[in-house]
Amino acid sequence: MDLMDAIKGRRSIRKYKSDTVPEDALKMVMEAVKWAPSWANTQCWEVIVVKDPKVKSELSTALPKGNPALSSMTEAPLLLVLCGKKGVSGYKKGEDATVKGDWLMFDTGLAMQNLCLAAHALGLGTVIVGMFDHKKAEEILGLPQNVEVVAITPLGYPASEGFAPRRKEISEFVFYEKYGKKD
Ligand SMILES: Cc1cc2nc3c(=O)[nH]c(=O)nc-3n(C[C@H](O)[C@H](O)[C@H](O)COP(=O)(O)O)c2cc1C
């Protein structure tokens, strides 16, 4: 698949078929995570693959009722829980390298984008789920203190197409030379 087609054609998928995800497809998706860029190549991401319907169902209770991705948490054949090791990305000799502190959210975001694009190229759907009770999810999954849950995505074959929400025009977010300068 052409890169721009993948970038523009990927949609958040919230309806899934129950068909299982082939192991080689799952491996390919993980390969895409593996090759994501990261702060000083620190690769702070970790991924928990959840197939057990009991654990999927438990995790779904961490989402608020109004989350539009709620039903997809149990509908999709598997969930990928993207975690980040704290205190690894954005540091030099144990000290903050920038005013931004931990770059964990940035690096795991890059990994998640790779994951979603690779899944899409394989005909699989994803939806990044960020609105949930992270502490509850961490308890359910037994995370150690130095690791946090960042986001979850169901993975499976789409049962219906997502629609493309409107994007800003390029001219709305690009400036030239200085902030706010439009030409
Ligand atoms: C950090 C992040 C958190 C998100 N959290 C949720 C969520 O909790 N529930 C949901 O249904 N969609 C969630 N989304 C999906 C966005 O709503 C979606 O990406 C956006 O509307 C654009 O649609 P598209 O992905 O089809 O292009 C999240 C996306 C991102 C990047």
Side-chain angles (χ1 to χ4, degrees):
M1 187 183 278
D2 173 75
L3 181 61
M4 281 312 285
D5 287 345
I7 289 171
K8 291 173 80 171
R10 178 215 54 81
R11 289 280 70 74
S12 290
I13 300 298
R14 297 183 177 87
K15 294 269 164 226
Y16 289 88
K17 294 179 183 166
S18 56
D19 308 32
T20 53
V21 174
E23 279 304 312
D24 57 342
L26 181 58
K27 193 164 175 231
M28 199 97 87
V29 167
M30 293 308 164
E31 191 75 14
V33 170
K34 172 177 167 173
W35 285 101
S38 61
W39 181 282
N41 198 29
T42 41
Q43 306 165 59
C44 72
W45 49 74
E46 292 183 318
V47 183
I48 306 176
V49 180
V50 178
K51 293 183 183 171
D52 184 342
K54 195 168 153 277
V55 185
K56 284 196 290 175
S57 169
E58 263 186 284
L59 277 175
S60 73
T61 67
L63 272 65
K65 294 261 182 297
N67 193 318
L70 181 58
S71 62
S72 65
M73 295 280 294
T74 43
E75 205 174 72
L78 63 88
L79 299 175
L80 299 177
V81 184
L82 183 64
C83 307
K85 274 192 196 161
K86 298 183 229 179
V88 174
S89 173
Y91 299 95
K92 205 171 175 186
K93 294 186 181 137
E95 301 284 320
D96 287 351
T98 70
V99 293
K100 304 242 176 254
D102 203 321
W103 281 67
L104 170 158
M105 294 294 280
F106 193 91
D107 288 359
T108 53
L110 294 168
M112 185 60 109
Q113 176 71 337
N114 270 19
L115 186 163
C116 294
L117 288 175
H120 175 61
L122 293 164
L124 290 161
T126 56
V127 55
I128 301 167
V129 181
M131 191 177 58
F132 60 93
D133 182 339
H134 287 73
K135 288 283 156 242
K136 189 170 182 182
E138 285 161 7
E139 270 169 40
I140 292 166
L141 297 164
L143 259 68
Q145 286 290 325
N146 66 325
V147 183
E148 64 181 75
V149 168
V150 176
I152 304 173
T153 178
L155 185 72
Y157 292 99
S160 66
E161 303 263 311
F163 81 101
R166 187 192 163 271
R167 277 357 197 217
K168 290 181 185 174
E169 294 302 327
I170 295 171
S171 60
E172 292 180 72
F173 61 82
V174 177
F175 304 133
Y176 296 93
E177 314 309 341
K178 293 282 171 85
Y179 188 86
K181 194 168 171 295
K182 289 285 194 177
D183 47 31

